[in-house]
Amino acid sequence: MLVCLLAMLLAAGVGGIMAWNAVGGGGPNQGISLHGFIALGLGIIGSLVVGGGLMALAFFSSRSGHDQAVHEEVARRMPADGEQL
C-alpha cells in the first residue's frame, strides 16, 4: 500500500510540474514573492489545522456516545414498518 501511495504522490507532483510549465509558470515575470510564499504557507497550515480539528471533533463525538443517543431517539420516533405516520 505504501508503494502505491508513494506512486500516486509522485504522479501528482509530476502532473503539477507539467501543468505549471504548460501555462508558462516559472518565467522571469511570474515569480512568487516572499509575501506569496508566506500566504501559501499560512493557507496550508490553516487548512491542516481546520481539517485535523474537525476530524478530532468527529472522532471524539463518536467515542462519547452522543451520536448513539441521537440515533436511538430517532429510531424510537420512527414508525415501525407498515405503520402510518
Side-chain angles (χ1 to χ4, degrees), residues 1-84:
M1 180 175 20
L2 185 61
V3 172
C4 186
L5 290 173
L6 289 174
M8 288 190 289
L9 179 63
L10 179 66
V14 169
I17 291 171
M18 290 175 60
W20 180 260
N21 289 333
V23 297
N29 297 328
Q30 295 180 346
I32 298 177
S33 68
L34 175 63
H35 293 107
F37 280 114
I38 292 171
L40 184 63
L42 289 174
I44 291 170
I45 291 170
S47 296
L48 290 173
V49 167
V50 168
L54 290 173
M55 288 301 296
L57 286 173
F59 176 77
F60 288 123
S61 174
S62 174
R63 293 287 181 158
S64 70
H66 291 1
D67 296 338
Q68 185 63 29
V70 171
H71 175 71
E72 290 170 358
E73 180 66 22
V74 169
R76 187 182 65 79
R77 292 184 182 196
M78 293 291 290
D81 289 338
E83 287 186 24
Q84 296 293 326

